Amino acid sequence: MSNRQSIFQPIDFSNLQGDVRGGAISFLVAVPLCLGIALASGAPLFAGIIAGIVGGLVVGIVSRSSLSISGPEAGLIVVTLSAIETLGSFPAFLLATCIAGLMQVGLGFARAGIVSNFFPSSVIKGMLAGIGIILIVKQLPHLVGYDADAAEGFALFQPGGFNIIEQLNMALGQFSGVAILIALASLSVFYLWERPAFRKLSFTKNIPAALVVVLLGIGINELVRVAFPQWALRGNHLVQLPVPESPQAFFQLFTLPDFSQWTNPLVYTSAVAIALVASLEALLAIEASDELDPLKRKTPANHELKAQGIGNLVSGLIGGIPLTSVIVRSSVSINAGARTKLAALIHGTLLLVCVVTLPTLLNKIPWASLAAILLVTGYKLARIEIVKAMYAEGVSKFIPFIVTIIAILLTDLLTGIGIGMVTGIVFILHEHYQNTHRVRTEWDNNVTRIHVSLGDHVSFLSKAKLLKLLKNVPDNSIVEIDGTGSSYIDSDVITAIENFATAARQRNIQLVFLSGRVADSSFVRLSKEFTNHYRTTGSQFHLQP
């Protein structure tokens, strides 16, 4: 029987109720975000919905991630907008998206997903907390009725753009009493659902708070529309799905790629940019989703790249913008009770069915209700308990965690993660430098005995500290260099020891080499060479296995 796994995995129905809740709530949040991201990207609005459907159904079927949900993501806005402007037409851009998908499949087969193993956990947790804080801050305008930024990009301060400070200032002058009422009622529902006494009630276990929030928001606004029409929310204060008037009009919402552009080199440069950004976003998102997974399952990164590539290929073929794994939707789904990939399939199915059959009903959902859901999601990602836990792990974990948060808040998601990664690497190198070797000094009959115990992995980074130690060894002393705990010693370190051994003869320093796990390394070769040399010259030198 073949050990090769099938590209498709059987659907797990063991957590049906929780997965239905997760898929339904993430679907409600996804609808306006799909539209907003498409609008900000300069693409047709329905292209965002297509990407959301493909992300839920196609990627959901192929992916082996238990909890990740894919779709259009704010981190792809810049690369999408730039590609559409560069290529001059949306159909040409769709061809670039298809090619990007093929490139991602190629990256999966090339095992490029291994880079996900090098993301420090402190940076991933910092990324989640940073996203949580941004979600909280960016919902504040929506909670008071100012709904200009529907894309919910992960950047508070956008160069040359409409940043969060300007949005808050505008929001202060455009309060909507109905939006504030809906927001307060929604947050009250979430508060009640978390109370121990309330959680014992059977209906709170079966009905998610987010669904009650959406229905309550629609109900309040419809009551106001009847009693006080002039105060009711309308326009961009509500979800705005395209509503086709006929089946023919519906199919006209789909766009095909312009395959005549396959000889245009700009198509391929755009495809490379889309593939790289979408792949990196996907790898980061599945690491984050795995971090949030209560069951702590691990998503195979290389297979995920293939799944994302297939998703982008299909999305581009039928008129959708690029997609990737989306942290916000995944975390909303997890918070609602999702535990298997069935939630992603339900998410995609609801997008498809409701966009076709219920667009008018969906267009009654107030942004204030969705903002409350996202605000609570942000709070759960950035809880103070998480900060305390990271602080307890020590400076080497806490500083990269905090730096990642601050960098994400002041720049954007990928730049912030890059800064966090650099900070994490600096601390890793510092720890490595501090732990290259241990030194024990003893005095025996007025003779100084220095025991140098080398670490497990002695790289070239250890050379400077070791050289400083050997330089300060007093004359007429005994130096034991212990490699019994080392599995690797870099050739630069071997050379440094070699040079010291040569100088040691002039300073009457007795050398003792202790070898163990490095029996096949240059360390023992060096030891044996100097053993032979010292035997012929009569100097003092010992090799102890």
Side-chain angles (χ1 to χ4, degrees), residues 400-430:
F401 170 77
I402 290 296
V403 168
T404 302
I405 293 174
I406 295 173
I408 288 174
L409 295 179
L410 296 179
T411 58
D412 57 65
L413 186 64
L414 291 181
T415 303
I417 290 168
I419 294 171
M421 290 284 290
V422 170
T423 306
I425 290 170
V426 168
F427 274 90
I428 290 171
L429 294 179
H430 179 264

Side-chain angles (χ1 to χ4, degrees), residues 296-484:
K296 299 303 176 187
R297 291 161 290 190
K298 181 69 175 174
T299 301
N302 294 317
H303 187 87
E304 186 64 21
L305 287 178
K306 298 173 190 175
Q308 295 292 331
I310 293 171
N312 275 317
L313 174 61
V314 174
S315 184
L317 285 173
I318 61 176
I321 56 177
L323 56 85
T324 188
S325 180
V326 186
I327 302 169
V328 173
R329 292 178 211 186
S330 304
S331 58
V332 167
S333 178
I334 293 168
N335 289 336
R339 294 295 179 268
T340 77
K341 66 189 297 182
L342 180 60
L345 299 176
I346 292 171
H347 169 97
T349 302
L350 287 175
L351 266 176
L352 176 61
V353 172
C354 293
V355 164
V356 173
T357 61
L358 301 173
T360 304
L361 177 61
L362 294 177
N363 286 345
K364 293 181 182 293
I365 300 175
W367 251 109
S369 298
L370 300 174
I373 296 173
L374 292 173
L375 187 145
V376 171
T377 299
Y379 167 76
K380 291 184 177 181
L381 290 175
R383 297 189 312 276
I384 190 65
E385 290 81 7
I386 296 173
V387 180
K388 291 179 179 178
M390 291 305 300
Y391 182 78
E393 291 190 28
V395 173
S396 62
K397 297 286 187 181
F398 185 69
I399 296 299
F401 170 77
I402 290 296
V403 168
T404 302
I405 293 174
I406 295 173
I408 288 174
L409 295 179
L410 296 179
T411 58
D412 57 65
L413 186 64
L414 291 181
T415 303
I417 290 168
I419 294 171
M421 290 284 290
V422 170
T423 306
I425 290 170
V426 168
F427 274 90
I428 290 171
L429 294 179
H430 179 264
E431 282 193 350
H432 182 84
Y433 179 79
Q434 293 296 323
N435 298 310
T436 54
H437 57 264
R438 296 185 302 276
V439 181
R440 186 179 72 252
T441 303
E442 300 172 347
W443 289 269
D444 183 15
N445 297 325
N446 295 323
V447 175
T448 303
R449 178 184 292 271
I450 300 173
H451 182 85
V452 182
S453 180
L454 300 179
D456 176 61
H457 188 92
V458 188
S459 72
F460 72 95
L461 297 171
S462 310
K463 178 181 175 182
K465 191 174 182 182
L466 187 62
L467 281 174
K468 182 179 179 180
L469 169 68
L470 296 177
K471 181 181 178 181
N472 294 323
V473 169
D475 294 348
N476 307 310
S477 58
I478 300 173
V479 177
E480 296 177 348
I481 299 180
D482 183 356
T484 56

Side-chain angles (χ1 to χ4, degrees), residues 100-122:
L102 293 174
M103 290 179 177
Q104 285 183 280
V105 174
L107 288 172
F109 280 108
R111 300 185 178 277
I114 194 174
V115 299
S116 66
N117 295 328
F118 298 97
F119 298 145
S121 62
S122 57

Side-chain angles (χ1 to χ4, degrees), residues 124-137:
I124 296 298
K125 291 177 180 177
M127 175 186 72
L128 288 170
I131 289 172
I133 294 170
I134 289 176
L135 279 177
I136 292 170
V137 175

